[in-house]
Amino acid sequence: MEGLLLVVPISGLLALAVAAYFAYDVLKSDRGTPAMQEVAGAIYTAAVAFIRRQYTTIAMLAVVGMIVIGAVIYVFETAPGVSKEELALKTAFAFIVGAAASMLSGIIGMFVAVKSNLRTAAAAQTSVGDAMRIALRGGAVSGILVVALSLIGVFAIFALYGGFTKPAEAPFTIVGFGFGASFVALFAQLGGGIYTKAADLGADLVGKVEAGIPEDDPRNAAVIADLVGDNVGDCAGRGADLFESTAAENIGAMILGVAIFTVTKNPAWIMFPLVVRGFGLVASMIGIFLVRGNEKRDPMTSLNFGYYITVALSIVGMYFVTNSMLNEKGGAIWFFYAGVIGILTSLAFVFITQYYTAGSWRPVKEIAEATKTGPATTIISGIAVGYETTAASVITICIALFLSHFFGEQWGTATGLPHGGIYGTAVATMGMLMSAAFILAMDTFGPITDNAGGVASMANASHETRERTDRLDAVGNTTKALTKGYAVASAALAAFLLFSAYLDKITDLRKAAGITPSDFHVVDLAKVDVFIGGLLGAMLVYLFSSLAIRAVGRAGSAIIQEVRTQFREHPGIMAGTEKPDYARVVDITTSSALRNMIAPGLLAVCAPVVVGVLLKAEAEAAFLMVGTMAGVILATVLNNGGGAWDNAKKYIEAGMLKDSLGKVLGKGSPEHAAAVVGDTVGDPFKDTAGPSLHVLIKLLSTITLVLAPLFI
Amino acid sequence: MEGLLLVVPISGLLALAVAAYFAYDVLKSDRGTPAMQEVAGAIYTAAVAFIRRQYTTIAMLAVVGMIVIGAVIYVFETAPGVSKEELALKTAFAFIVGAAASMLSGIIGMFVAVKSNLRTAAAAQTSVGDAMRIALRGGAVSGILVVALSLIGVFAIFALYGGFTKPAEAPFTIVGFGFGASFVALFAQLGGGIYTKAADLGADLVGKVEAGIPEDDPRNAAVIADLVGDNVGDCAGRGADLFESTAAENIGAMILGVAIFTVTKNPAWIMFPLVVRGFGLVASMIGIFLVRGNEKRDPMTSLNFGYYITVALSIVGMYFVTNSMLNEKGGAIWFFYAGVIGILTSLAFVFITQYYTAGSWRPVKEIAEATKTGPATTIISGIAVGYETTAASVITICIALFLSHFFGEQWGTATGLPHGGIYGTAVATMGMLMSAAFILAMDTFGPITDNAGGVASMANASHETRERTDRLDAVGNTTKALTKGYAVASAALAAFLLFSAYLDKITDLRKAAGITPSDFHVVDLAKVDVFIGGLLGAMLVYLFSSLAIRAVGRAGSAIIQEVRTQFREHPGIMAGTEKPDYARVVDITTSSALRNMIAPGLLAVCAPVVVGVLLKAEAEAAFLMVGTMAGVILATVLNNGGGAWDNAKKYIEAGMLKDSLGKVLGKGSPEHAAAVVGDTVGDPFKDTAGPSLHVLIKLLSTITLVLAPLFI
């Protein structure tokens, strides 16, 4: 077992090396024309300025959070054999390390992404294959780093807190790491999500709709802010989201391992999640290496090929690790099955998301048809599609939960050991997370290609160059949608194991406090306070989304006013003789996004505390569980509804919509205008509220785990 | 106690007399000009034709339902001392009586409403006060009949099934009555809701948007269908909704009474819900009698006055009945408090709904401001408002649940008797339902005044007449929104007692089947299958809404095609020299609505059966509970979001929106066009999916209660 454990640091260090190599590979590539460099330079400067201001704010909030957590644990928590001071310090330290690691991975990933867009645009002057390689490797830097840092971080702090000498206690003390990561992710995703969609909304409404100029037109003062937005929202935001997913779910799985360790005294049950993720990281890197684009093939086919490789290698790795580590008393095959369920779930979500958001299937076509009767029916149809998508997603999640739990129970029957069912869901979650680095690389590929298109367009690159970037950009839209589906599904699967960890934790606290009966593994919805907790959890999800969506509207209005003023006061801008003041719009977007992320962020952090303190542990569990269900479902609605509108617009722009006489209804038609309304409505859904909900769900789990002593 | 029980038949018969008097009063009023009579005649014919076809379909479905239920109970249910045949026959008979009573009240109410619109329009030629009296009394016929029929129905079947000799057993056998009512309500609300909004959508999009003719213009072929829609959706649909609310909640409360009866042997605990509702019916009738409109006062003020009277009388009645019936061992005051909580909750929802959907407060103004940047921001802003409304509604429901339960527990402490907490929520629910007849009268007032406006407009009545009907119509919009808030809140409050009834029922079944432990009062979300049940319940709500919304879109498209064809093939219609073929549009709308109500209806009926059979009783309970939470919240979003868009449009039409220079942005402005998009999107939300969700929630409760033997 000790040998296998070495996989963790080795794969982590290997990943850092691969990331460094990819970064080097990208940075040494051709930097294109001076015009391109100028545009990319402006994006770079603005993105760095935003991230600096955003992360300064977040760092201050994190320090406050750390102090509060330390104080709460010092005052309320009691554990046998550990001093209050040690417990408080350890948790607070883990929190700040988790927060710092999350910030670090966001910053580095975004830095490379912003550098990659220029190189991708430059490469697109000659070849799709090269452009694709650069964009994917740029994205992979972020993807690999995020996963490696979360793996190394959890491993290091586990080792530091005596995981190898007292494996049963360490997992609980490192929960703070996951909470720190969630905390940063929440604000990173909210701030970035508000920034990106406010800028997008502002740029589109004033540019495309009012002034009638095309997307990414240099005369639009909001265009740089719009391009910056893709980086701060999709790169930094989603990176932080998946950083905390992998960290929190890993820790949750380790906590469940403690229960079996207590019986078998074999620490492999606790270490398994770390090792299997190390294998997943390696599988993802191989997959990324094997992606090769060329001029003829659809870039999505190339990416899918790499993904299938990753999935296949993950299955092999899962077989090897379950057999090596979990074969005590035999029966490891059941956990292998559970792991495969998790891996296949990620694949299922890739297909579901494609079906609902890609133009070749019924849902997007239905929305495109609805544009013929105007914007109202376009919206109605998109919302109907968004609601409908919950069915396939939820049923898939239910099957995955049921089967992985069932396989775990079969293991229990075969070996006579307890806690198999819940460990089965933990193995499935780990299986799902094995491809996280690949998925995240594909995700970051999206904003890089999007930005490359913007750079090419603003730098007046050749028609062929823009055609190439457009092709990659379309694929990027799909990969961004896939990542969200993946993030939701992993959150849903992980939620169940984090609940169990919470119930274990409360049981421990009750034991320590001498409360009888100490066992606390029932969350009884038939009690009125528990029911109320559940109802409030479901409500929180809506209130939070309302604040996030409204924040985009507010920040967007500020941008619209500014761009309008610039057009009015400087007629030279429209004529093309004067340059708009991009920096002013960037500045307004930055302050507006940061101001507006505070309210939903604080709501998310405070609501679970208030409910738990008032209604206590069992109602808090229902709050967490029903809130998670509602959050998973609403995030699915928002992500897929938004994605479907986006692609209905693209479907029309591609000339695929025809009237009854066969005439193409393309760009500039009333149908296209209606589709633009749908796309605009969908933007804050799919890029602000939806992704922020993923983070909210996991934040609820980590916050309740860490602050559990308050709810006894 | 026997004396008090007489209140039930007396108030019921009194109500029938009052309804007959109101109907006589309305029907003897002036029938207006021949032109008005012609329009009203067309509405009447079409409405009757739709109802006949719809209720024929529903009746056939109900007969199938009856046979299935009888068979299921015959095969699966076992109860000591009762033969299988008797149980199956009793439940099936109760089902069909409930279904028939629901249909009857829908038919009579709609018949009078369709007759009242003409008289209201005629009266509006001379006086607001008279028009208001006729519209309200026309609505009251429906409101009073619905409530009286449900009260008499439950009482009669309770008596018939030996309620006075074996009070502990009868409540369980009459659950079929509630199920029959829910079953009819589901299809009545779905069919009516699809009809009304498809016609509205079709008429608006082709008329106002494409042809540029005003609302209710006789040249629009869809205008009669649109006017018919208000009656079949808002009158017949909502009537069926509240019929089943009052019936199901009454039966649920009686079942909870059985638990206390078992201890005290006092049947008053079972009869209380019937008696207190009798008092509520009388209070509502007095309130309706006291409403007096006049030329100067805002009609809403007059209605509010009557409502406050009803509330005050309800509180007095509650005090009297709790003290007379529930004062065993003292402590009745606690149940009085619980009842007051219920009464005040209905008042709170009246205020919350007004705040979020009336033009004088922040939310509607915010949406109106958002129209300045186009339809996309209008939609985004409305959805943010819809999501936000869940907070106030859910918190109110939680407080009501918590306090009524708390007061019930205090009673338990005071008397040493069990089951007080849950009985407290039952008393609160009954308190809330006391004003049902008044609320429903106000609701039906809405479509009557709406139709009166349509009749006046199409009959070219004088400007003053139309101004008067417009004033009443605006109030009608508010009262319709209030009723939905009331229906959601009562569903949420009642849900908890219906869950408890379900758990009692399962316990009884387990006892009868000799399963140990037989006690079944824990719904443990921490079990994976229970969690899956909950997740599926939340998902059902979205899938059902998706089908309902899509049905409106489908039926609406068919109407649009037809109206376009008529305009194209008969140019005389637009010129005003030729009459459009209203009947054809009515016919298309009718068949389309009926065809499209089947899929969501069957989903609602089948999903709980499938989940219960596959995952068994405890998971089914979670399905029911989380489905109810999700349903209450989504219905709130849809109802209030839709209502806010509607009134944002009215706010702009009233000239209240101004640009930065103070210029009014009224009808015909781009802001108004954006607001119309919002209103159109909101229509299927607030009048099809939202109200259908109320019914779905209660159907879930009654279906699980009746089919419980399947889930053991």
Side-chain angles (χ1 to χ4, degrees):
Chain A
M1 211 273 293
E2 280 69 29
L4 261 181
L5 206 52
L6 282 178
V7 167
V8 180
I10 291 174
S11 64
L13 294 174
L14 182 68
L16 296 186
V18 170
Y21 165 71
F22 281 162
Y24 164 78
D25 186 37
V26 168
L27 292 177
K28 79 167 172 37
S29 304
D30 177 40
R31 300 179 61 239
T33 64
M36 285 178 175
Q37 288 170 26
E38 194 194 340
V39 177
I43 297 173
Y44 177 76
T45 314
V48 169
F50 174 72
I51 288 290
R52 182 177 298 137
R53 281 175 62 179
Q54 186 190 24
Y55 278 42
T56 309
T57 311
I58 296 178
M60 288 188 305
L61 290 169
V63 169
V64 174
M66 177 185 70
I67 295 170
V68 171
I69 290 161
V72 164
I73 292 190
Y74 181 75
V75 175
F76 292 96
E77 182 145 0
T78 45
V82 194
S83 76
K84 277 170 160 301
E85 288 80 7
E86 191 187 331
L87 218 53
L89 278 177
K90 272 188 170 175
T91 308
F93 179 71
F95 175 87
I96 209 74
V97 172
S102 169
M103 290 203 270
L104 184 67
S105 56
I107 290 167
I108 300 179
M110 212 211 57
F111 177 83
V112 178
V114 180
K115 294 280 177 193
S116 309
N117 57 22
L118 172 62
R119 275 82 176 171
T120 304
Q125 291 174 307
T126 51
S127 142
V128 163
D130 283 349
M132 184 172 166
R133 183 180 49 83
I134 293 176
L136 183 64
R137 294 192 165 186
V141 174
S142 174
I144 294 172
L145 267 184
V146 160
V147 176
L149 275 177
S150 110
L151 182 61
I152 296 174
V154 174
F155 181 74
I157 203 146
F158 178 72
L160 187 70
Y161 285 5
F164 297 111
T165 50
K166 290 189 275 179
E169 285 156 31
F172 286 102
T173 51
I174 64 174
V175 172
F177 185 86
F179 184 20
S182 318
F183 189 88
V184 168
L186 180 74
F187 289 98
Q189 181 67 66
L190 272 174
I194 295 168
Y195 188 110
T196 178
K197 289 304 126 175
D200 196 355
L201 188 78
D204 278 10
L205 287 180
V206 187
K208 283 200 253 183
V209 181
E210 286 184 21
I213 53 179
E215 192 158 345
D216 295 338
D217 190 294
R219 290 170 291 179
N220 190 333
V223 72
I224 292 290
D226 187 12
L227 290 168
V228 170
D230 294 326
N231 295 295
V232 301
D234 288 332
C235 293
R238 192 92 62 259
D241 179 358
L242 284 186
F243 178 89
E244 72 111 344
S245 284
T246 53
E249 293 163 16
N250 194 337
I251 296 170
M254 291 170 83
I255 290 181
L256 297 182
V258 171
I260 303 187
F261 166 79
T262 318
V263 181
T264 65
K265 303 296 170 203
N266 177 359
W269 296 97
I270 300 174
M271 316 295 183
F272 168 80
L274 289 166
V275 175
V276 81
R277 277 187 59 209
F279 275 87
L281 185 52
V282 175
S284 296
M285 289 189 288
I286 296 174
I288 294 167
F289 263 109
L290 292 179
V291 173
R292 286 280 176 280
N294 69 37
E295 209 65 30
K296 278 181 239 127
R297 200 166 25 173
D298 177 3
M300 196 65 222
T301 312
S302 310
L303 289 173
N304 276 338
F305 172 74
Y307 185 60
Y308 296 146
I309 297 283
T310 303
V311 165
L313 291 175
S314 296
I315 293 180
V316 173
M318 178 61 78
Y319 184 79
F320 177 69
V321 183
T322 48
N323 268 292
S324 311
M325 298 186 78
L326 308 182
N327 206 20
E328 204 167 357
K329 300 200 180 184
I333 193 75
W334 293 112
F335 286 126
F336 169 66
Y337 293 154
V340 171
I341 291 294
I343 297 170
L344 294 183
T345 303
S346 69
L347 208 57
F349 266 81
V350 167
F351 289 126
I352 293 171
T353 313
Q354 290 202 26
Y355 174 74
Y356 277 110
T357 62
S360 10
W361 283 281
R362 191 258 312 158
V364 168
K365 284 185 189 163
E366 194 173 288
I367 297 176
E369 283 296 322
T371 61
K372 292 181 180 171
T373 38
T377 44
T378 308
I379 300 294
I380 291 173
S381 162
I383 288 181
V385 165
Y387 284 4
E388 184 194 325
T389 61
T390 61
S393 307
V394 165
I395 290 172
T396 306
I397 291 169
C398 288
I399 292 175
L401 266 179
F402 185 85
L403 284 182
S404 58
H405 197 271
F406 172 77
F407 290 138
E409 281 179 342
Q410 293 308 107
W411 168 85
T413 313
T415 61
L417 290 168
H419 309 300
I422 186 72
Y423 203 80
T425 64
V427 176
T429 308
M430 291 301 111
M432 179 141 197
L433 285 184
M434 287 179 86
S435 52
F438 191 95
I439 295 277
L440 197 50
M442 285 212 292
D443 180 62
T444 311
F445 173 87
I448 292 174
T449 54
D450 187 333
N451 263 250
V455 169
S457 176
M458 287 191 65
N460 283 312
S462 71
H463 181 68
E464 290 75 36
T465 310
R466 284 154 79 169
E467 264 195 346
R468 290 196 190 96
T469 58
D470 278 357
R471 265 179 72 188
L472 293 177
D473 185 19
V475 171
N477 274 319
T478 307
T479 61
K480 280 190 282 185
L482 296 185
T483 312
K484 286 174 219 151
Y486 177 84
V488 174
S490 81
L493 216 56
F496 199 71
L497 66 117
L498 290 164
F499 302 155
S500 301
Y502 168 78
L503 299 178
D504 285 352
K505 169 88 177 179
I506 295 279
T507 302
D508 283 357
L509 288 168
R510 289 168 68 103
K511 264 187 206 147
I515 298 170
T516 47
S518 61
D519 187 53
F520 187 85
H521 285 91
V522 170
V523 181
D524 181 8
L525 262 193
K527 287 186 192 154
V528 78
D529 52 337
V530 179
F531 184 81
I532 288 174
L535 197 51
L536 290 173
M539 179 274 278
L540 170 69
V541 160
Y542 281 89
L543 186 57
F544 176 81
S545 302
S546 170
L547 290 177
I549 292 171
R550 177 170 295 139
V552 173
R554 283 213 190 119
S557 297
I559 296 168
I560 290 171
Q561 300 301 338
E562 172 61 26
V563 179
R564 278 185 186 157
T565 309
Q566 290 198 21
F567 273 138
R568 196 172 53 237
E569 293 178 359
H570 303 272
I573 295 177
M574 199 62 195
T577 57
E578 195 177 347
K579 263 187 111 177
D581 188 349
Y582 302 125
R584 230 185 107 68
V585 177
V586 164
D587 198 54
I588 288 173
T589 316
T590 301
S591 13
S592 200
L594 294 182
R595 209 172 36 245
N596 282 300
M597 81 181 178
I598 300 296
L602 286 186
L603 173 73
V605 175
C606 296
V609 179
V610 171
V611 170
V613 168
L614 287 180
L615 299 175
K616 300 299 164 199
E618 193 173 350
E620 178 80 349
F623 178 82
L624 173 60
M625 290 177 168
V626 181
T628 299
M629 294 179 194
V632 164
I633 290 179
L634 188 57
T636 305
V637 168
L638 296 173
N639 290 341
N640 290 344
W645 273 314
D646 191 349
N647 280 325
K649 186 191 74 174
K650 295 218 158 65
Y651 182 86
I652 291 176
E653 287 174 352
M656 318 258 285
L657 185 70
K658 292 176 183 136
D659 68 9
S660 54
L661 306 170
K663 202 188 117 216
V664 168
L665 304 163
K667 261 193 176 175
S669 64
E671 286 75 15
H672 183 247
V676 169
V677 171
D679 181 37
T680 311
V681 170
D683 271 344
F685 286 13
K686 76 180 189 330
D687 289 321
T688 312
S692 299
L693 278 176
H694 313 164
V695 186
L696 173 72
I697 294 167
K698 279 166 288 176
L699 179 82
L700 289 179
S701 295
T702 54
I703 205 171
T704 44
L705 258 173
V706 171
L707 298 183
L710 280 177
F711 314 142
I712 292 298
Chain B
M1 211 273 293
E2 280 68 28
L4 262 180
L5 205 53
L6 283 178
V7 167
V8 180
I10 290 173
S11 63
L13 294 174
L14 182 68
L16 296 186
V18 170
Y21 165 71
F22 281 161
Y24 165 79
D25 186 37
V26 168
L27 291 177
K28 78 169 174 31
S29 303
D30 177 38
R31 300 177 60 238
T33 65
M36 285 179 175
Q37 288 170 26
E38 194 193 340
V39 177
I43 298 174
Y44 176 76
T45 314
V48 169
F50 174 72
I51 289 289
R52 181 176 300 138
R53 281 175 64 179
Q54 186 189 25
Y55 279 42
T56 308
T57 311
I58 297 179
M60 288 188 304
L61 290 169
V63 169
V64 174
M66 177 185 71
I67 294 169
V68 171
I69 290 162
V72 165
I73 291 189
Y74 182 73
V75 176
F76 293 96
E77 183 147 358
T78 44
V82 193
S83 76
K84 277 169 160 300
E85 289 80 5
E86 190 187 333
L87 219 52
L89 279 177
K90 273 188 171 175
T91 309
F93 179 72
F95 176 87
I96 208 74
V97 171
S102 169
M103 291 203 270
L104 183 67
S105 57
I107 290 167
I108 299 177
M110 215 211 55
F111 177 83
V112 177
V114 180
K115 293 280 177 193
S116 308
N117 57 23
L118 173 62
R119 275 81 176 173
T120 305
Q125 292 174 306
T126 50
S127 142
V128 163
D130 283 349
M132 184 170 166
R133 183 180 49 80
I134 292 175
L136 183 65
R137 293 192 164 185
V141 174
S142 173
I144 293 172
L145 268 184
V146 160
V147 176
L149 275 178
S150 109
L151 183 62
I152 295 173
V154 174
F155 181 75
I157 203 146
F158 178 71
L160 187 69
Y161 284 6
F164 296 111
T165 49
K166 292 187 274 179
E169 285 156 31
F172 286 101
T173 51
I174 63 173
V175 171
F177 185 87
F179 185 20
S182 317
F183 190 87
V184 168
L186 181 74
F187 289 99
Q189 181 67 66
L190 272 173
I194 295 169
Y195 188 110
T196 178
K197 288 305 125 174
D200 195 356
L201 188 77
D204 278 10
L205 286 179
V206 187
K208 282 200 252 183
V209 181
E210 286 185 20
I213 54 178
E215 191 159 346
D216 294 338
D217 190 293
R219 288 170 293 179
N220 190 333
V223 71
I224 292 289
D226 187 10
L227 290 167
V228 170
D230 295 326
N231 294 295
V232 300
D234 289 333
C235 294
R238 193 93 61 258
D241 179 358
L242 283 186
F243 179 88
E244 71 111 344
S245 284
T246 53
E249 293 163 18
N250 195 335
I251 295 169
M254 291 170 84
I255 291 179
L256 297 182
V258 170
I260 303 187
F261 166 79
T262 318
V263 181
T264 66
K265 303 296 168 203
N266 177 357
W269 296 97
I270 300 174
M271 315 294 184
F272 167 81
L274 289 166
V275 175
V276 81
R277 278 187 57 209
F279 274 86
L281 185 52
V282 174
S284 296
M285 289 190 286
I286 296 173
I288 294 167
F289 262 110
L290 292 179
V291 173
R292 285 280 175 281
N294 69 37
E295 209 64 31
K296 278 181 240 127
R297 197 164 29 171
D298 177 4
M300 196 65 222
T301 312
S302 310
L303 289 174
N304 276 338
F305 172 75
Y307 185 59
Y308 295 146
I309 295 283
T310 303
V311 165
L313 291 175
S314 297
I315 293 180
V316 173
M318 178 61 79
Y319 184 80
F320 177 70
V321 183
T322 47
N323 267 294
S324 312
M325 298 185 79
L326 309 182
N327 207 20
E328 204 168 356
K329 301 200 179 184
I333 193 75
W334 293 112
F335 285 126
F336 169 65
Y337 293 153
V340 170
I341 291 293
I343 296 169
L344 294 183
T345 303
S346 69
L347 207 57
F349 266 81
V350 167
F351 289 125
I352 293 172
T353 313
Q354 291 203 25
Y355 174 75
Y356 276 109
T357 62
S360 10
W361 283 281
R362 192 259 310 159
V364 168
K365 284 185 188 163
E366 194 174 288
I367 298 176
E369 283 295 322
T371 61
K372 291 180 181 172
T373 38
T377 45
T378 307
I379 300 295
I380 292 173
S381 163
I383 288 181
V385 165
Y387 284 5
E388 185 194 324
T389 61
T390 60
S393 306
V394 165
I395 290 172
T396 305
I397 290 169
C398 288
I399 293 175
L401 266 179
F402 185 86
L403 283 182
S404 58
H405 198 269
F406 172 79
F407 290 139
E409 281 178 342
Q410 293 309 106
W411 169 85
T413 313
T415 61
L417 290 168
H419 309 300
I422 187 71
Y423 203 79
T425 64
V427 175
T429 309
M430 291 301 112
M432 180 141 195
L433 284 184
M434 287 178 86
S435 53
F438 191 96
I439 294 278
L440 197 51
M442 285 212 291
D443 180 62
T444 309
F445 173 87
I448 292 174
T449 54
D450 187 332
N451 264 250
V455 169
S457 174
M458 288 191 63
N460 283 313
S462 70
H463 182 66
E464 290 74 36
T465 310
R466 285 153 79 169
E467 263 194 347
R468 290 195 190 97
T469 58
D470 277 357
R471 267 179 70 188
L472 293 177
D473 185 19
V475 171
N477 274 318
T478 308
T479 60
K480 279 190 281 184
L482 295 185
T483 311
K484 287 174 219 152
Y486 177 83
V488 173
S490 80
L493 217 56
F496 199 71
L497 65 117
L498 290 164
F499 302 155
S500 301
Y502 169 78
L503 299 178
D504 286 351
K505 169 88 177 179
I506 295 279
T507 303
D508 282 358
L509 288 167
R510 289 167 69 102
K511 264 188 208 146
I515 298 170
T516 47
S518 61
D519 187 52
F520 186 84
H521 286 90
V522 170
V523 181
D524 181 8
L525 262 193
K527 288 186 192 152
V528 78
D529 53 336
V530 179
F531 184 80
I532 288 174
L535 198 51
L536 290 173
M539 180 275 278
L540 171 69
V541 160
Y542 282 89
L543 186 57
F544 175 80
S545 301
S546 170
L547 291 177
I549 292 171
R550 177 170 295 139
V552 173
R554 283 215 189 117
S557 297
I559 296 168
I560 291 171
Q561 300 302 339
E562 172 61 26
V563 178
R564 278 185 186 157
T565 309
Q566 290 199 19
F567 273 136
R568 196 172 53 237
E569 294 179 358
H570 304 272
I573 295 177
M574 199 62 192
T577 55
E578 197 177 346
K579 262 186 112 176
D581 187 349
Y582 301 125
R584 230 184 109 68
V585 178
V586 165
D587 198 52
I588 289 172
T589 317
T590 301
S591 13
S592 200
L594 294 182
R595 207 170 40 242
N596 283 299
M597 79 180 180
I598 300 297
L602 286 186
L603 173 73
V605 174
C606 296
V609 179
V610 171
V611 170
V613 168
L614 287 180
L615 298 175
K616 299 300 164 197
E618 193 172 352
E620 178 81 349
F623 177 82
L624 173 61
M625 289 177 169
V626 179
T628 298
M629 294 178 194
V632 164
I633 289 178
L634 189 58
T636 305
V637 167
L638 296 172
N639 289 340
N640 290 345
W645 273 314
D646 191 349
N647 281 325
K649 186 191 74 174
K650 294 219 157 66
Y651 181 87
I652 291 176
E653 287 174 352
M656 319 259 285
L657 185 70
K658 292 177 182 135
D659 69 8
S660 53
L661 306 169
K663 201 188 118 214
V664 168
L665 303 163
K667 260 191 174 174
S669 64
E671 285 75 14
H672 183 247
V676 168
V677 171
D679 180 37
T680 310
V681 170
D683 272 344
F685 287 14
K686 74 179 191 331
D687 290 322
T688 311
S692 299
L693 278 176
H694 313 164
V695 186
L696 173 73
I697 295 168
K698 278 166 290 180
L699 178 81
L700 289 180
S701 295
T702 53
I703 206 170
T704 44
L705 258 173
V706 171
L707 298 183
L710 280 177
F711 315 141
I712 292 299

